[in-house]
C-alpha cells in the first residue's frame, strides 16, 4: 500500500500490487488518531474491492468504539454497530478481532467474524508466579463475567468492587467490596485500560481492604491521557497487557509487561486462508 | 385479525379491517408453542405490509431466542440476531420490547428499537417490605450487571454465586459465595426464570450460607418444564415476575406474584404514536 | 449437526465439523411440526453462514406454505414468498425443491432455484399397468395444467371436476364433470394430498359418473388430519406418492405406494456440486 | 412531463412541475414499441425519485413480459420477475396493475401491489345477451383456472381444448375437446389476445365440434402481428376486450368491442390516495 | 444464446450451453434500437444468473445513456446512474467498458468496473502523419479535459471553441475561439460523434479562423440521424473512430476510418479471467 | 446535541431533545480535523435514526473527499463515492451540498441530493467592478467547464493554462496559455482553493503573459498548509471565496473576501421542509 496524506488531510491510498482474485487480509490498528485510522481502513477496503480482490478480511485487533455497544442513554448512537455497518459498507467480507467488550457485539455484523482471545496468553503469563494466595478482582459489576472466565481457567476465587454515586457527585465511586481480599494478592482483570482512572482507584481501594499486592491484566492497552502517570504513581505492581494496540517505547516502563498477540493473529490468518477451523485454536 | 390453522399446520391470517396508511402495532407474546408464535408474527407483519399499513411496529414483550445472543461455541447461530433479521425481513419498521438479556442486543437491529424495562416496577414491589436487612444476589456471574442496577436503585449490597465445574461433572455447580448473606434476607435477581433449576439450587445454597429467607424477582416468567414443581418445593418464599409472558391460572400459585406491564407498554405505544419521548418514561 | 431442544422450546444447533469453504447442502423436510421445521432450517442456515461455509444450498423437497402463493383475499400474506425471503435472509445461496404448486413460485426467489420434478417417476410407475382404457382427472380447475403435463407424457385424455358453491353452503362441491369417465379407469392427478377430502369426494363423484376404478397420484404426501381414514374407507384403489414428505410406517397401508425421490435429489446434488447441468436430468 | 427523444434514441424526460412531497401516480401503457415503453417508465420513476416525490406509484394496466413468469425451459430468465425488480430498482414504491397472467406474479414484488380485475366488467357485458345456451371454453389447459372464475360468476358450464404435439410437428395442435359444445354458443375466455393464432384455431375447432357460434373475451388486447386479419377472417362473431392496451382506431373493427377500464383505475387511484380499501371494489 | 423475438416484441433468450460455475462475459453493443439492446442485456444477465453462472461480466463497449450523467436541469433522471443500477439489479457482477463521457461515471457502480481506453490506439493512428504543424481542438468547453489528455500524449498545443447562446436563439453557437489555429492542421477530439452537428459546425468555424485542414477523432461512432450526410458534405478531411459501436458498411465511406478495439477488449477479458492486472495495459 | 470526546478520542453525541417524527437537518462543515468531522457526522446521523427522527437531511456545504471522484490510477478508491455510501449507511435520507467538483458526483448517491451553487453569488460580487477588460482563466484543463459557466453568466471571454510534465519532473508545470490575457484583468475561477500552489503559480504565469492584474474566485476556501503565505506573497489582488468551509479570523486578511452562503442554505432548507422547489432558486 502506498499512502499519501494531502495538505487538506485527505488520504490517498494506492495498492501497489495486483490483487485480483487474491485472498487479502488488511491489518489495521485502532490507535490515535482514532478517526484517521477508521477512515484509512474504510478507504483501503474500498480500494481493494474496486481492485477486484478475491476476498477481503479486515483484521482489527482492537475494535473501534467497542464500548459504545448499547443505548444506555436516550438518543445516542450504538457506535460499535455503526462501525460494523461502515466496515461492511466499505467492502469487508470477513472480520478478525480480539476480545470484544461484550460477546454480543459479534451479532452486530452480518458477515462472518472470528473473535480471537488473549485470555489463555494472559493466564499463562499469570501462572508463572505462584497464584495460591491470589484473588481475581472485577473493578466494576460490568466486568464480572470476564473475571469469571479467568477464575475458571486459573481456579481462583474472585471479588467485585461495587461503585455507587454518593451525594451530589456525578461520578460513581468504589464504595463496597463484594468478597474478600484481606491478606491476598489481588489481580484486577479487565478487557482494556484507557485512562487507568478506574484501575488505579481500584488498586487503592483494594489496598485499603487489606490486599497485600495488586496486579492488573487486560487485553487492550489504550493507555491514553493521564494513564501512564497514574500507573507509575499507583500502588500497582505490574500491568500485563498485549500489543493489540501499539505500545510505544515511552510507555514500556518496567511495570508494564506487553505480551505479543502476533502469533495468535498469524495462526488465525493462516487457518482462515486454508479453510481450517479457528475455533480449534481455543479448545481445551 | 382472523387466524385459521389448516390441517397441514399452515397458518392463514387475514386482517379484518382496512389498515392502509394506519399506524399499526402488532403485539405478539413469545410463549409455547414458540416456533408457531414466531411464524405467526412474521406472517402478520408480511400481511400488514402487503396491506399497505402506514407504519408497522412489532411489540414483543419477551424477545424470542434472547439468550442465544453470542457465539460462545464454534459453529452455532447467534439466533437472537437471526430473529432480528427475520422480523425486519418480514416488514417490521420498529420494535418495542422489554428487558433484553443483554443491552447490546438492541444493536442487532437496523430499525429503531424501544427497550422498556420492568426494573422500576419490580423495585417498587420489593420496597413494600422493609429491605434494611436485605441483600441482592446474582445466581451467576453473567447476571451481576443486572443485579448492580437493582442495587443502585434500592441502595442495597449484593452477593454473587460463583459456579464451577467440579470433577467429571459436565454441569457447573454453585461452589463459592462472593460476598455475604449470613443473617440476611436474600433477593435473587435475574431477567428470566425458565426451568427454575439454577434459581432453586441458588436458594438452597444461600440458606446453607446463612440467609434467613430467599425471594426471587425476574421480568420474564417462562416457567417451563419442571419450573412450577421446583418453585413449589423450594425454600423460596416469593417469586415476583411480570406478565411479559402469559402466566396461566395453573401457575399462579400463592408464592408467585405476577405484576402487570400492560400500562408500561400502553404508555409506550401512546407516546410512539404521538411522537413523544419514550426515554422520558424511565428518567429519574 | 448436533441439535438440542431446551425446555423453553428454543433450539440450539451446532455443526460438528469444520465447514469453512465447503459446499454444503442442508436437507430439511417440511413435515409436522411445521413451524419447528422452518425455524430449525433457518437456524441451521445461519449457523452455516457464520461458520464460513463456502456455499450453502437449502434442499427442501416439499416447500413450506407452497399453496399460499397468491393474494386471493384482501390483506393476507403471500406466505410462500415470505418463506423465500426468510430462507434467503438466513443465508441460503441456492435452493433445490420439487414440484412447486405453481411454477411461478420459482420467481419468488432472487437466488438460483433448481426445481426438480417427480413427474417422470410417477408416470413410469403408472405405465406398469395397461393404461389403454384410462383417463386422467383434475379434481379442480386449479390442477388442470398439471394434469395436462401428465396427459402429454402418457398420451391419455383428461377430464375435469368442476366445483361450485351451492345454496348457502360455504364450501364448493363437485357439481359438473367436464369430459367423460364412463367405463374408464380414472387416475386423479394432483401435486399434493393433505386431508384427502377433495380427493375422496372426487373419487366418489367419478364412480357416480361411471368410472370403473379410481387411482390417485401426487408428489407430496402430507396426509394430515383424517387423510388416512378417508383413503382407507374410500373407493380409491391405489394412491401413488413419493417420499418428499416422510411417510411413517403407520401410513404405509397397502393402498399407498410410496416411490423414493432420493436418487433424483442425490443426482441433482451431485450435478450441482460438479457444475453439471440439472436441466439435462429432465430432458426427453 | 416533457419528453424528448434525441437522435441517438436516448430519452430525456423532465417533470414540469414541482413534485416534492406529492403522491404521484405514473401511468404507463405497455404497448409497441415495448422496450421503449419500459425504459421510459424506468426513467420517469427515477426522475420522480430524484425530484423528491412523496410516494411513487407505477400504474401499469398491462404488465410487460407477464407471460415470462416461469422457467419452463432451462437457462431462461423469468423476465416478469426481472421487470418487477427493475421497476422497484428505479424507484416505484407501489404498483397498480390488472389481471396478471397468473396470480402468483404478485409475489414477484417486495412492494405493495394492487391487482385490479376486469372480470366483472367483462361478465356484465356478456350478460347483456341471453347466456342460457352458452358454454365457456379454455383454449388451453393453462387457461382453465381463469375460465373457472368466469364460470362461477356466470353460472355456466365449461369445456377445454386439449392441445398436443403430433408427429414431427413442433407446434401443439388442438386434438381433443374435454367437455361438450355441441349445439351451444361458445365463449372463449383468455387473459390476453396477442397474434390471435390460438384463438382463431380454437374457434374453428369449436365449430367443427358443433358450436353454433363462437365469441371471445379477454382483458388485454395486444392484437399484434397478423391478429386483426385472423380475427376478421375467422368464424368468431365478437371479440370483447378492454383498453388496458391502447387499441388504435384501425383495430376497432365492428367485431371488436373495447370496454373501458378507465373508471376502475380511476377509482383505485382515488382510494389509494385516500387510504381507502381497494379490495372492497371487487367484493361480492 | 438463442434469441426469439415474439410478435408482441417480447424477447426470449435461452443460453444454449450449461454455464454453471463458468466465468461468463456477455458482450452487448449499445446501438440502434437502443432500448431493445438494453432490455436484451438485462434479460441475458438475469438468465445467466438463474443458470448459476460462476461470475457474470457485462462487456459494454459504449455505455448507454452515458451523457445523461448529471442533473443539469431540475427534475430529470441521471439516466447513466439508473442504467448502472439496472445492470447490477439484473445480475452483473463486473463491468468492462470504454472511454466513459466523464471518468466520474465509474463511481455510479458498486461493482468493480474496468474502464478501457482507445486513446493510445487513436493517438498511434494520428501519429502516422507528421503532426508538427497540428493543434488539437475541443469543440466545447466540456471536452477540454479529454483534449488535454491527447495533448499530453502527442505533445501538441490545443484550442477551444467557446459556444454561447446569442439573441433569442435557444441553441448555443460557436462564437469565440480560445487559442489559435491560424495556418495549422486542426484535429478535433471528442468522446463520441452522434449527429455530427457540433462537429461539422466546429470544422467550418476552424476553417474560418484559418485552419488549413480539419480532422476529427472520437472513440464512439454513434453516427445517427443526419451524421453521414453532414460529414460527407463538410470540410472535414478525415474522421477517425473505433468500432465500439458497430459501423455498418454503408457508413464506411472513404473519409471515415474505423479502428478496431477488439484486441483491447480481448486482452482485457483474458487478463480478468486470469486475474492479471488490467491497469498494466495502459501504463506508460 | 451534546458532544463529549473521551480521552480515547471516541466521540459520544447525545441529542438533547426529543426528535421523534421531526424533520431534522444536520449541518456539518468538512474542515480540519477532516476525519473527525466525518466520523462525527456519521455518529450524529446514526443517533438521529435510532432516535426515530422523521426525516434526516445531511447538510454538507463542502463535500469531503470531493476530488477523489474518479479512478485515474489503478487500485485506488473513488473515495467520494465511498463517503456517499457511508453517509447513506449511517442514516441520511437526503443530502444538501454546494458546488461539487464535478456534477456527476450527484450520481454517486441513491438518495435525493440538492446541489446548490454559489456561482450567482460570486458573479454578483465580481460584477461590482467594471469587467469590460476582464478575462476568465482556468488554471487547468480540468476546470474549463466551470469557467465556461461563469463566462456565460458574465459574458466574458476565457483563457486556459495548459500544464505539462517536463523532463524528469514528476509535477506538471504551466507551459502554455491557450487564449490571450495580454493587457487584460485576469480572473482565475476554480471550485476550491487548497494549498493555493496551483493558483499562485497561475497568477505568476498570467502576469508573465501580460495580464495587468489577477484576481481569483472559488466556492470552497480550504486554505490549508502554506495557502495563506502563498496568497499573501503572490501577485493576486483579491481572492473571493464563500464560507462553505469556516474561515477563521487569522485567514481573513484584506486580500481575502468571504461571502456568506448562509442565506442560500437557509432558503434551501426552508423550501425542502415546506416541499417547495429548490431548482427554482437558481432559475434565470
Amino acid at each position: 500500500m502506498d499512502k499519501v496524506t494531502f495538505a487538506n488531510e485527505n488520504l490517498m491510498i494506492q495498492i501497489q500490487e495486483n490483487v485480483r482474485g487474491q485472498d487479502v487480509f488488511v491489518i489495521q490498528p485502532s490507535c490515535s488518531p482514532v478517526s484517521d485510522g477508521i477512515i484509512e481502513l474504510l478507504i483501503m477496503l474500498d480500494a481493494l474491492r474496486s481492485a477486484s480482490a478475491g476476498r477481503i478480511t479486515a483484521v482489527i485487533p482492537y475494535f473501534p468504539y467497542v464500548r459504545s455497544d448499547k443505548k444506555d442513554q436516550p438518543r445516542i448512537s450504538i457506535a460499535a454497530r455503526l462501525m460494523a455497518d461502515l466496515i461492511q459498507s466499505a467492502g469487508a467480507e470477513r472480520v478478525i478481532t480480539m476480545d470484544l467488550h461484550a460477546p454480543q457485539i459479534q451479532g452486530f455484523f452480518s458477515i462472518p467474524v472470528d473473535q480471537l482471545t488473549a485470555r489463555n496468553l494472559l493466564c499463562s503469563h499469570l501462572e508463572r508466579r505462584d497464584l495460591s494466595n491470589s484473588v481475581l478482582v472485577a473493578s466494576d459489576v460490568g466486568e464480572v463475567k470476564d473475571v469469571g472466565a479467568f477464575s475458571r481457567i486459573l481456579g481462583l476465587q474472585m471479588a467485585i468492587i461495587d461503585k455507587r454515586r454518593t451525594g451530589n457527585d456525578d461520578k460513581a465511586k468504589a464504595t463496597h467490596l463484594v468478597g474478600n481480599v484481606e491478606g491476598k494478592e489481588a489481580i484486577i482483570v479487565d478487557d482494556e485500560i484507557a485512562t487507568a482512572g478506574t484501575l488505579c482507584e481500584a488498586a487503592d481501594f483494594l489496598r485499603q481492604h487489606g490486599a497485600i499486592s495488586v496486579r492488573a491484566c487486560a487485553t487492550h492497552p489504550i493507555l491514553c491521557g493521564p494513564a501512564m502517570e497514574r500507573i507509575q504513581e499507583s500502588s500497582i505492581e505490574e500491568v500485563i497487557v498485549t500489543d493489540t494496540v501499539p505500545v510505544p517505547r515511552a510507555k514500556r516502563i518496567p511495570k508494564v509487561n506487553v505480551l505479543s498477540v502476533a502469533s495468535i493473529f498469524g495462526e488465525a490468518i493462516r487457518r482462515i486462508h486454508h479453510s481450517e477451523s479457528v475455533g480449534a485454536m481455543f479448545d481445551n
Side-chain angles (χ1 to χ4, degrees), chain A:
Chain A
M1 303 253 177
D2 186 47
K3 174 179 152 190
V4 181
T5 305
F6 295 115
N8 63 2
E9 300 177 30
N10 283 8
L11 297 175
M12 211 278 281
I13 291 167
Q14 183 170 30
I15 302 158
Q16 295 300 301
E17 277 180 54
N18 178 26
V19 295
R20 285 184 188 254
Q22 302 291 309
D23 187 18
V24 182
F25 293 80
V26 184
I27 301 170
Q28 177 74 347
S30 305
C31 53
S32 180
V34 170
S35 296
D36 286 326
I38 296 168
I39 298 294
E40 187 177 313
L41 172 61
L42 298 172
I43 290 178
M44 281 193 296
L45 292 170
D46 187 50
L48 285 166
R49 175 173 50 182
S50 88
S52 307
R55 185 176 64 171
I56 304 170
T57 301
V59 183
I60 310 171
Y62 172 65
F63 197 75
Y65 281 87
V66 75
R67 293 212 159 187
S68 296
D69 62 350
K70 59 192 156 297
K71 209 171 152 184
D72 48 9
Q73 297 183 54
R75 295 181 288 281
I76 60 167
S77 163
I78 300 180
R81 164 70 199 238
L82 174 63
M83 293 299 137
D85 285 350
L86 299 179
I87 287 165
Q88 290 171 93
S89 173
E93 292 159 87
R94 163 182 297 280
V95 163
I96 307 177
T97 188
M98 185 171 263
D99 285 338
L100 294 168
H101 179 53
Q104 286 81 7
I105 294 169
Q106 191 164 352
F108 290 3
F109 288 87
S110 47
I111 51 173
V113 173
D114 286 296
Q115 193 191 170
L116 311 180
T117 181
R119 212 171 268 160
N120 299 333
L121 182 73
L122 292 165
C123 284
S124 296
H125 182 90
L126 289 170
E127 283 175 322
R128 291 184 185 176
R129 291 211 204 164
D130 173 12
L131 297 176
S132 58
N133 193 35
S134 295
V135 62
L136 295 168
V137 181
S139 59
D140 188 283
V141 293
E143 312 309 322
V144 176
K145 198 152 187 201
D146 224 30
V147 176
F150 273 76
S151 76
R152 266 188 292 281
I153 296 173
L154 297 171
L156 296 181
Q157 296 220 15
M158 60 181 165
I160 295 117
I161 298 176
D162 188 12
K163 293 160 83 175
R164 302 279 164 93
R165 270 192 212 116
T166 53
N168 294 321
D169 199 349
D170 209 41
K171 224 183 126 243
K173 288 189 63 170
T175 51
H176 301 278
L177 180 70
V178 185
N180 185 16
V181 299
E182 180 84 42
K184 302 261 189 174
E185 299 183 306
I187 305 169
I188 301 172
V189 174
D190 212 335
D191 54 339
E192 71 176 50
I193 302 173
T195 63
T198 296
L199 177 66
C200 294
E201 192 191 343
D204 288 348
F205 189 77
L206 293 172
R207 295 302 295 261
Q208 287 160 23
H209 282 72
I212 56 175
S213 74
V214 178
R215 289 197 288 160
C217 101
T219 302
H220 307 296
I222 319 299
L223 301 175
C224 57
M228 294 314 298
E229 295 69 42
R230 283 177 173 163
I231 289 171
Q232 187 66 287
E233 291 162 19
S234 76
S235 58
I236 300 172
E237 273 182 22
E238 182 189 17
V239 173
I240 308 153
V241 293
T242 79
D243 54 359
T244 55
V245 176
V247 182
R249 191 170 294 250
K251 294 183 181 173
R252 295 191 177 234
I253 59 175
K255 267 188 184 182
V256 174
N257 243 314
V258 183
L259 312 181
S260 172
V261 293
S263 63
I264 301 178
F265 276 93
E267 175 67 8
I269 289 172
R270 194 192 64 72
R271 285 168 176 259
I272 288 165
H273 181 65
H274 292 291
S275 289
E276 296 175 13
S277 169
V278 170
M281 286 172 65
F282 304 103
D283 276 2
N284 290 63

